[in-house]
Amino acid sequence: MEVHVRKSRLRGVGLSPGEIGLDSETAPSMPPRLRVLGYSADGCFELETNQLDEALARIGEKSVTWIQVIGISEVGFLKELGQRMNIHPLALEDVATTWGRAKLQ
């Protein structure tokens, strides 16, 4: 009997729950960018940066603030973002799993 091994597209198979596993082959090599959008009845703002401190400092300036992470390539960045924003490790694991459906919007 011949055995065929098929490469799974499931990154992080065998990792503990909540542990982030990025695929180094398909992950972009450039650092992540952050797009910050804020709005209220008085107006809005938009900011693009690669500095997490700069993006997080804008939270609360308007009644609604949205931070979009563009380019998920660094595990350390995701862990720091999750720690500073109090995001559960299982939710961060879902963020890193780009092939799955969104569970939080």
Side-chain angles (χ1 to χ4, degrees), residues 15-49:
L15 297 176
S16 299
E19 194 171 339
I20 300 171
L22 294 176
D23 187 358
S24 59
E25 293 177 11
T26 60
S29 59
M30 51 192 250
R33 292 178 322 177
L34 300 165
R35 181 180 296 151
V36 184
L37 304 165
Y39 64 90
S40 68
D42 301 329
C44 63
F45 71 85
E46 181 175 350
L47 166 75
E48 276 208 36
T49 182

Side-chain angles (χ1 to χ4, degrees), residues 83-101:
Q83 190 174 44
R84 295 187 56 191
M85 295 291 297
N86 198 25
I87 300 172
H88 193 278
L90 292 176
L92 278 179
E93 181 184 7
D94 289 343
V95 168
T97 307
T98 56
W99 55 266
R101 288 186 174 169

